[in-house]
Amino acid sequence: MKTIGVLTSGGDAPGMNAAIRAVVRYGIHLGMTVYGVERGFAGLIEGKFNHMQLRSVADIIHRGGTILKTARCEDFKTKAGQEKGVAQLKNHGIEGLIVIGGDGSFMGARALSNLGFPAVGIPGTIDNDLGYTDYTLGFDTACNTVLNAVNNLRDTMTSHERVSIIEVMGRNCGDIALYSGLCGGAEIIMIPENPPDLDEICEKMLASKQRGKLSGIIVLAEGAGRADEVSAQIAARTGMSCRSTVLGHIQRGGNPGMQDRYLGTNFGVYAVKLLQQGIGNRIIGIKNGQFFDMDIIEGCAVKRKFNKQLYDMAEVVAK
Ligand code: ADP
Ligand code: F6P
């Protein structure tokens, strides 16, 4: 392939810019022409294509968000929308497309491949909710953002002898809560993979109070409940003073850390190599430190495994 495109789709994630930079620069290194598509599949349908140069991606490796912008586009779920997208790609002489996003975006990439247009997916979502890969782009940075918030909240909770209930993102996946809860020393981690039992949680909080621990951190995944409701319930049942915080979109921004720049760069280069060989309908991942690619449908069908061992470990060490 001589001409390729790249777009970002769904929720943005820190590290997407590192991936875009790698796609553009590695593509140009191989003698390719690279187009950046604005606003995900919406921009694809509208033909919002920018011819990228080496300098188009200067000074972005350290930035959160995505310079290409992103969108959620209902039209692209229809055959007519997908055909329009393929027509726009062909009009620009583009032969292959790299889609950076989550499993929804991968279905878009799959639809293009079904229409005979090679597309490759890079896992970009803070949620870490894709079973086929150990990590997605943005997850590590989002966890570090949560950790900073946990540190700050711990200071004030300790001073006031309060319990902090911190609601974090992740949709139906509890990984952001699990990893940041473990590393932030949370007494309780509430995740959808292990549905929380409030009676049990209150018993633990009271036992911990009896051991002399007068403040606490509870990290709650958004898929497992609402912070204000959990806070009210725990306060009513234990008599402890509780405060709820919803971290929200602050978790989606910020400078990507080392892991997300590393993943973004490697994923980007890997994707270009696949397209160069004319290979589409693949998604890229990392397993046990090794980068690999697999069929989109097979990859998306891999069920996520709940890391119960990690969850139990967090519980034991946060006494
Ligand atoms: P994510 O990629 O983060 O999972 P979404 O689920 O919102 O985010 O999907 C992003 C976009 O991918 C959607 O707005 C739509 O344009 C496209 N998409 C999602 N599902 C499909 C599908 N089944 N077929 C084609 N495109 C899809
Ligand atoms: O998928 C990423 C994510 O940030 C989820 O964790 C969250 O539930 C959702 O997107 C929020 O979506 P929006 O940006 O549309 O509010």
Side-chain angles (χ1 to χ4, degrees), residues 9-11 41 72-73 76-77 82 101-105 107-108:
S9 166
F41 293 116
R72 295 195 170 100
C73 169
F76 202 73
K77 293 183 180 168
Q82 294 156 11
D103 54 355
S105 305
M107 288 304 104

Side-chain angles (χ1 to χ4, degrees), residues 65-138:
T66 157
I67 60 158
L68 293 177
K69 303 214 164 90
T70 184
R72 295 195 170 100
C73 169
E74 284 305 306
D75 271 2
F76 202 73
K77 293 183 180 168
T78 66
K79 187 98 187 280
Q82 294 156 11
E83 281 169 348
K84 260 191 224 162
V86 172
Q88 292 283 15
L89 287 161
K90 288 189 173 161
N91 284 343
H92 285 77
I94 299 173
E95 300 158 285
L97 183 71
I98 295 168
V99 173
I100 309 173
D103 54 355
S105 305
F106 286 172
M107 288 304 104
R110 162 79 181 171
L112 290 172
S113 294
N114 280 347
L115 291 172
F117 193 91
V120 170
I122 289 178
T125 165
I126 63 166
D127 298 339
N128 210 38
D129 57 351
L130 302 171
Y132 79 96
T133 180
D134 284 346
Y135 296 108
T136 58
L137 207 46

